[in-house]
């Protein structure tokens, strides 16, 4: 048996032993594995012109007690962030993205958005931390905050460890951590080392295990309908919070934006509109 014990790996390992009808089903599941979650045994049989009994027998040949066990296996893989290939049309993607965004923003109270924005507007220093797939979201947040306020840094620096930077955190520093699923092993130890009263965590539902280690937990929906996670909701949440922080900064934020805009023109860093 393959080290990856998912449905697709089991199909590959057992394919030579399958009957022609079972191979027809296996071929379909390899192309559309998420139908194991969305479709019943009867629906899979109808789509492959086979029988319900043949579909059930295939799952048993793959080592599952039932279709439900196979479904749970696929759900666990996607909830862990493991890519599972699926072919869907553009409408499906749009609907899924809108759903992720709506569930994310509707679940976070406006009061919490304001509290986080106030921290980002008023903190003397801000440190952002993001590893792997969380790094681009942290970089996006840094880019927005740097336009409206000073003393914002992003960790870890390329090729550098984190311990010396954590050691130098000041007592008035706010730490924004971005930790989406498939986090590196160091993440849990890092959360233990950070001061909970000054740490904010942007994460997906799997990150709720760290809720006692942070001042604010901001949950983002990444979806599990497609092979790869979507970061549209976290990116939007960052924009919502940074926009609110900019509003709270008032004239101070406006002066900084104006100065940076003049420097862009002076240095010719941006293409003319």
């Amino acid at each position: 048996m393959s080290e990856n014990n998912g449905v697709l790996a089991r199909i590959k390992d057992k394919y030579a032993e399958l009957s022609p009808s079972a191979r027809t089903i296996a071929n379909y599941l390899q192309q559309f594995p998420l139908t194991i979650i969305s479709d019943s045994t009867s629906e899979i049989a109808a789509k492959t012109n086979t029988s319900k009994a043949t579909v059930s027998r295939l799952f048993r040949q793959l080592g599952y007690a039932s279709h439900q066990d196979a479904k749970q296996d696929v759900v666990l893989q996607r909830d862990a962030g493991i890519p599972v290939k699926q072919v869907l049309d553009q409408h499906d993607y749009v609907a899924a993205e809108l759903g992720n965004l709506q569930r994310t923003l509707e679940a976070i109270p406006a009061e919490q958005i304001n509290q986080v924005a106030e921290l980002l507007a008023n903190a003397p220093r801000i440190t952002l931390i993001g590893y792997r797939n969380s790094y681009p979201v942290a970089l996006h947040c840094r880019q927005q905050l740097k336009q409206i306020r000073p003393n914002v840094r992003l960790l870890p620096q390329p090729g550098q460890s984190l311990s010396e930077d954590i050691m130098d955190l000041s007592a008035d520093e706010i730490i924004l951590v971005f930790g989406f699923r498939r986090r590196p092993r160091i993440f849990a130890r890092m959360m233990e080392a950070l001061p909970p009263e000054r740490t904010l965590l942007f994460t997906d539902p799997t990150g709720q295990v760290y809720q006692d280690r942070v001042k604010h937990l901001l949950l983002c929906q990444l979806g599990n309908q497609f092979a790869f996670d979507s970061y549209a909701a976290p990116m939007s949440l960052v924009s919502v919070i940074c926009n609110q922080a900019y509003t709270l900064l008032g004239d101070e934020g406006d002066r900084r934006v104006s100065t940076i805009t003049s420097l862009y023109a002076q240095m010719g860093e941006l293409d003319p509109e």
Side-chain angles (χ1 to χ4, degrees):
M1 188 69 69
S2 169
E3 196 172 281
N4 175 0
N5 207 30
V7 175
L8 298 184
R10 295 189 188 204
I11 289 174
K12 183 178 179 181
D13 289 338
K14 293 287 187 180
Y15 194 86
E17 305 171 20
L18 300 178
S19 68
S21 294
R23 288 182 183 177
T24 298
I25 301 167
N27 294 341
Y28 179 79
L29 296 181
Q30 284 177 318
Q31 186 176 5
F32 305 104
L34 290 185
T35 58
I36 296 172
I37 300 174
S38 61
D39 291 1
S40 67
T41 303
S42 298
E43 289 169 330
I44 294 173
K47 290 177 179 179
T48 55
N49 294 315
T50 59
S51 68
K52 181 178 177 180
T54 305
V55 175
S56 297
R57 186 162 52 249
L58 170 63
F59 286 125
R60 290 196 296 272
Q61 285 181 275
L62 296 178
Y64 296 106
S66 65
H67 174 209
Q68 185 61 37
D69 284 350
K71 180 185 297 187
Q72 183 64 21
D73 194 2
V74 176
V75 169
L76 289 174
Q77 287 188 68
R78 280 305 296 122
D79 285 348
I82 298 171
V84 178
K85 182 174 65 176
Q86 179 71 324
V87 179
L88 294 164
D89 62 30
Q90 185 176 359
H91 175 76
D92 294 319
Y93 283 102
V94 171
E97 291 289 13
L98 291 174
N100 292 337
L101 182 59
Q102 185 173 17
R103 288 192 297 274
T104 296
L105 296 180
E106 287 183 348
I108 302 175
E111 181 181 1
Q112 186 179 23
I113 295 287
N114 290 332
Q115 289 172 354
V116 172
E118 287 177 6
L119 288 172
L120 300 188
N122 298 324
R125 299 171 185 81
I126 296 176
T127 288
L128 302 97
I129 302 175
Y131 282 96
R132 301 186 74 246
N133 48 331
S134 301
Y135 186 85
V137 187
L139 185 64
H140 171 59
C141 188
R142 175 195 175 276
Q143 185 271 339
Q144 297 203 347
L145 289 175
K146 285 288 286 183
Q147 293 184 72
I148 60 175
R149 55 151 299 147
N151 300 322
V152 180
R153 64 171 177 166
L154 175 62
L155 299 177
Q157 292 297 311
Q160 300 298 307
S161 58
L162 195 61
S163 297
E164 58 267 31
D165 290 307
I166 291 180
M167 176 67 186
D168 288 338
L169 289 173
S170 61
D172 57 3
E173 197 159 353
I174 292 295
I175 306 103
L176 271 65
V177 178
F178 297 82
F180 301 105
R181 58 194 178 197
R182 309 199 87 181
R183 296 174 283 272
R185 289 184 175 181
I186 193 177
F187 191 88
R189 295 191 293 273
M190 178 190 74
M191 292 302 295
E192 289 294 325
L194 294 174
E197 70 280 2
R198 292 186 284 113
T199 301
L200 286 62
L201 176 60
F202 288 71
T203 186
D204 63 279
T206 66
Q208 292 178 94
V209 294
Y210 300 105
Q211 60 186 344
D212 294 335
R213 294 295 312 165
V214 297
K215 183 178 181 67
H216 285 284
L217 184 77
L218 296 144
L219 289 182
C220 303
Q221 300 299 328
L222 310 183
N224 62 3
Q225 304 96 326
F226 310 116
F228 298 106
D229 290 341
S230 168
Y231 296 92
M235 289 288 196
S236 293
L237 179 59
V238 163
S239 292
V240 168
I241 291 173
C242 290
N243 272 294
Q244 182 64 8
Y246 184 21
T247 298
L248 294 173
L249 282 165
D251 292 342
E252 179 184 350
D254 289 338
R255 285 193 294 271
R256 182 175 175 88
V257 168
S258 178
T259 301
I260 291 173
T261 301
S262 297
L263 284 170
Y264 285 153
Q266 178 182 330
M267 300 182 68
E269 289 190 301
L270 301 180
D271 285 337
E273 295 295 334

